[in-house]
Amino acid sequence: MNKGELIYEGKAKRIFSVENDSTHLVAEFKDDLTAFNAQKKSSEEGKGALNLKISTQLFNLLTEKGIKTHFVENISDRDMLVKKVDIILIEVVVRNIATGSLTRRLGIEDGKKLPFTLIEFYYKNDDMNDPIITDEHAIIMELAKSQEELAILKSEAKKVNDILIPFFAERNLNLVDFKLEFGRLPNGEIILADELSPDNCRFWDMETGEKLDKDRFREGIGGIKVAYEEVLKRIM
């Protein structure tokens, strides 16, 4: 199996075609760190490999629990073989505890446990700073084909949350919030894509409240690699 051409480069990954295989892609996890829609940039050696390992553990867990994902196998310490999907340009954000943009937008107390799981949709568009959107916006913009597709995104996101909350709680971590991306297979089936790592999930230690995610970069706390290594250690 050989990498083909680079077909897309995002903030955290490069996506390559696979030679003589039109049904799979290679996702290469980068060491780059970005925040505030790439207004703040840096890199952390080894971060990409850590995120690949963490994502692999979580994708395997979700697969065991009946969630369909694009993950196939790891082919190096940075490269993941995935199913080729048509990415739906909606970022699905799942919130259990108020922080970040939710507190800034609505003034909800930072750290407040929400009375129910909040699902939000954002338009995946860097040039527009990934604006929050409603169901109606998603249909008007043709990001989703129907209200039924949006219902699938919400339902799958809640299922993922219901699996991950107790999993991390057993490891003394609060799953504060996280971002999911989904894609369509050629037959139209919607499956989970992208990654699950401290880059797109917020983890707080249950006892100390220590942040073990990319907020350490956003807030200039430092110790990013050590925090990511701690997350990996707890889930292995």
Side-chain angles (χ1 to χ4, degrees), residues 22 32 42 51 66 88 102 113 116 133 176 191 202 210 220:
S22 62
D32 293 0
S42 185
N51 279 349
I88 298 171
L102 184 63
K113 184 177 180 180
F116 54 84
I133 58 174
V176 177
I191 63 172
R202 281 188 171 101
E210 182 183 10

Side-chain angles (χ1 to χ4, degrees), residues 25 44 68 99 113 152 154 179:
L25 299 169
E44 185 82 15
K68 295 184 179 180
T99 196
K113 184 177 180 180
I152 290 172
K154 292 177 183 178
K179 180 197 70 158

